[in-house]
Amino acid sequence: MAAADSLVSAGRADLALAFVLISGQTIAETEEQYQAAEALRLRGQLFEGDGDEAAAESCYRQSIDIAERQGAKLFSLKATTRFAMLCAARGRREEGVATLRPIFEWFNEGLDSRDLVCARAALERCN
């Protein structure tokens, strides 16, 4: 999923989609759920890039739910950050903050890591 994440960041949605689809197929065939939250988050970003905000929101919510059930706090943070940014763009800033702040505040170290810096920026954008 790291390759797909890098491709999304580089604006190569076409190649990222191939990785995400293969990952989804592997998850379905093997029932290995470790990367399920990340695959859904990336799928949401691809939907968002295509302008399908409703599908993006659905993917982000599913990703957050899976990550929380797995106790995968970093995956939850990443999906919640994207969800909060989408909420802010749609004029639902309070919902974005209410969703992101608890997971962001759960972390007490590594505060200068890329994911936490992005989350902090999303919180500032929502306020």
Side-chain angles (χ1 to χ4, degrees):
M1 296 308 331
D5 198 13
S6 295
L7 288 166
V8 168
S9 296
R12 295 301 312 262
D14 54 334
L15 294 175
L17 179 59
F19 276 95
V20 171
L21 292 175
I22 290 168
S23 175
Q25 186 176 8
T26 302
I27 290 166
E29 290 173 1
T30 65
E31 297 183 16
E32 174 56 53
Q33 296 296 303
Y34 174 71
Q35 293 287 328
E38 273 293 89
L40 280 163
R41 177 187 62 83
L42 289 166
R43 187 74 190 246
Q45 282 186 249
L46 293 171
F47 279 128
E48 196 173 350
D50 286 342
D52 191 343
E53 293 178 345
E57 181 173 338
S58 176
C59 285
Y60 295 148
R61 287 182 183 276
Q62 290 175 60
S63 177
I64 293 164
D65 182 55
I66 289 169
E68 286 298 313
R69 279 188 282 125
Q70 292 177 337
K73 295 296 188 183
L74 183 59
F75 290 164
S76 180
L77 176 75
K78 292 168 78 167
T80 305
T81 299
R82 295 299 312 183
F83 176 76
M85 292 167 59
L86 181 62
C87 285
R90 297 174 93 187
R92 297 172 17 215
R93 295 179 189 283
E94 292 175 6
E95 182 181 0
V97 169
T99 306
L100 180 54
R101 186 171 306 284
I103 186 68
F104 176 77
E105 290 178 349
W106 182 87
F107 291 88
N108 56 19
E109 56 186 50
L111 300 177
D112 58 346
S113 70
R114 179 182 147 215
D115 295 319
L116 285 165
V117 168
C118 288
R120 187 178 313 108
L123 282 171
E124 290 170 2
R125 220 173 292 138
C126 288
N127 281 327

